[in-house]
Amino acid sequence: MTDGDGGPNAFSQAAWARNAAAYETIRTMPFNAELAAGTLPKATFRHYIVQDAHYLIGFGRALSLAAAKAPDPDGIVQFSRAAQDAIVVERALHGGFFRDYGIGPEAFAGTPLTPACHHYISYLVATAYAEPFEVLCAALLPCFWIYKAVGDDIFARATPDNQYRAWIDTYAGEDFADAVAGMIAATDRAANSASPALQARMHDAFTQATRLEWLFWDSAYRDASWPL
């Protein structure tokens, strides 16, 4: 479906098509290729999982602000639940890896956010405060959708004894699939009543968040930190 189709899924399909090359770069980047093969160094995954846990706190804040901006009760419930899942459900996944790697609460709290993590959180929270609901939906969507697509891709080629199986199964699972479908539908509903100018801002937000998805994984792979 093209940008001008005007169907119920016009925005999401157009946004994905516009960023298809970026997704392919993400799908095949070294972090995800090695995660699928089970060869990603534990130190690299440890660095990633700590930053991801920090990110989910900020992501939950942005989802909570989306709930506050939602135009109807169903939207308030949807985004409130998504914020809860970001903090509670996915934290359980991180908690398992934290135990395996001996990461306690003090070590987690004492680990500073990397530039990539800080940038992504700051972008989402700033968008949540400064932009309308429609743009915020578009900024939040790539985190859902790209993780689902990457999870499905890795699930299809990962070996059963992959050391990162818990991560793979979470993002390829049915519960997460339902959350992603709900987020796509909410974003499309918001876009369907938006003006062309507002839809353009939504596309910009979707693309920016997609770039930040790549940056987050790339930063984790390179163990990137503040230069000063």
Side-chain angles (χ1 to χ4, degrees):
M1 188 175 291
T2 62
D3 291 32
D5 237 346
N9 304 114
F11 175 81
S12 62
Q13 293 191 20
W16 189 266
R18 289 185 182 195
N19 292 276
Y23 166 69
E24 184 62 17
T25 299
I26 291 170
R27 186 186 73 83
T28 58
M29 66 192 303
F31 185 100
N32 288 324
E34 293 179 19
L35 183 65
T39 59
L40 186 71
K42 286 186 177 181
T44 302
F45 189 81
R46 183 186 187 279
H47 171 84
Y48 157 80
I49 210 74
V50 169
Q51 292 301 312
D52 197 43
H54 278 300
Y55 166 81
L56 285 173
I57 296 170
F59 189 58
R61 293 185 193 281
L63 287 165
S64 295
L65 290 165
K69 288 190 171 186
D72 56 68
D74 288 343
I76 295 171
V77 171
Q78 177 184 355
F79 284 95
S80 295
R81 286 177 175 169
Q84 177 178 327
D85 289 345
I87 301 298
V88 177
V89 177
E90 294 193 55
R91 181 177 283 180
L93 169 68
H94 292 96
F97 285 113
F98 278 20
R99 288 189 296 272
D100 291 345
Y101 296 153
I103 304 168
E106 291 185 2
F108 170 69
T111 302
L113 275 63
T114 62
C117 185
H118 187 275
H119 186 175
Y120 201 172
I121 290 173
S122 297
Y123 171 71
L124 291 178
V125 173
T127 300
Y129 276 109
E131 295 287 356
F133 176 73
E134 294 86 351
V135 176
L136 177 54
C137 285
L140 292 167
L141 181 54
C143 183
F144 284 90
W145 202 351
I146 290 174
Y147 260 73
K148 176 58 179 168
V150 168
D152 286 345
D153 178 73
I154 291 177
F155 182 84
R157 54 195 172 107
T159 58
D161 60 348
N162 189 302
Q163 63 180 320
Y164 305 116
R165 195 80 220 180
W167 186 96
I168 297 166
D169 289 347
T170 294
Y171 293 111
E174 291 185 8
D175 287 345
F176 190 61
D178 290 342
V180 174
M183 187 63 200
I184 292 171
T187 306
D188 279 328
R189 284 195 300 272
N192 287 339
S193 58
S195 67
L198 187 53
Q199 286 190 24
R201 288 163 62 188
M202 292 177 70
H203 277 294
D204 288 343
F206 187 98
T207 295
Q208 180 66 1
T210 299
R211 294 189 185 113
L212 289 168
E213 285 291 316
W214 173 86
L215 185 67
F216 192 94
W217 271 313
D218 180 70
S219 171
Y221 189 77
R222 296 184 293 105
D223 194 15
S225 60
W226 295 95
L228 294 176

